[in-house]
């Protein structure tokens, strides 16, 4: 028997850092962030962060952490909107 599946919202972000390669500025991804929010129950949320370039991340750890915090704030604002809509 088929059972209805849940609907989720996936959000993705990246921490990109400009680094020098020779004489050129190159943008490199240092970290990536994912979040999944259950639309049926927005309190159920998962946020993940992972390093995609260890050398760039290590040299720019404070910026990467700042980017992660900004991503979390963004995801939480989406969650807040979903929770408010669920109460209506």
């Amino acid at each position: 028997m088929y059972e209805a599946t849940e609907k989720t919202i996936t959000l993705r972000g990246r921490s990109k850092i400009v680094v020098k390669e020779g004489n050129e500025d190159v943008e490199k991804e240092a970290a990536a962030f994912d979040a999944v929010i259950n639309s049926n129950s927005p309190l159920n949320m998962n946020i993940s962060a992972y390093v995609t370039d260890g050398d760039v991340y290590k040299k720019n750890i404070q910026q990467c952490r700042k980017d992660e915090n900004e991503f979390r704030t963004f995801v939480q604002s989406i969650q807040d909107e979903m929770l408010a809509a669920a109460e209506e």
Side-chain angles (χ1 to χ4, degrees):
M1 174 200 279
Y2 173 77
E3 184 176 318
T5 56
E6 63 187 33
K7 179 180 169 186
T8 61
I9 294 174
T10 302
L11 304 163
R12 293 198 166 100
R14 291 173 178 75
S15 180
K16 293 189 174 183
I17 306 294
V18 175
V19 297
K20 281 278 191 199
E21 284 190 356
N23 292 330
E24 294 186 33
D25 289 338
V26 178
E27 190 175 63
K28 294 213 172 188
E29 181 181 294
F33 319 109
D34 292 324
V36 178
I37 305 173
N38 183 317
S39 295
N40 298 330
S41 179
L43 287 175
N44 294 325
M45 175 176 68
N46 182 37
I47 300 177
S48 301
Y50 46 97
V51 175
T52 54
D53 187 321
D55 291 334
V56 175
Y57 182 88
K58 190 173 179 181
K59 290 176 185 171
N60 299 278
I61 196 166
Q62 295 304 319
Q63 180 62 49
C64 292
R65 287 178 178 168
K66 180 179 181 246
D67 293 344
E68 181 179 352
N69 286 334
E70 287 180 25
F71 177 75
R72 287 178 179 275
T73 298
F74 170 70
V75 170
Q76 290 166 348
S77 72
I78 299 298
Q79 182 189 39
D80 290 345
E81 289 174 13
M82 294 171 69
L83 288 168
E87 291 178 358
E88 293 177 354

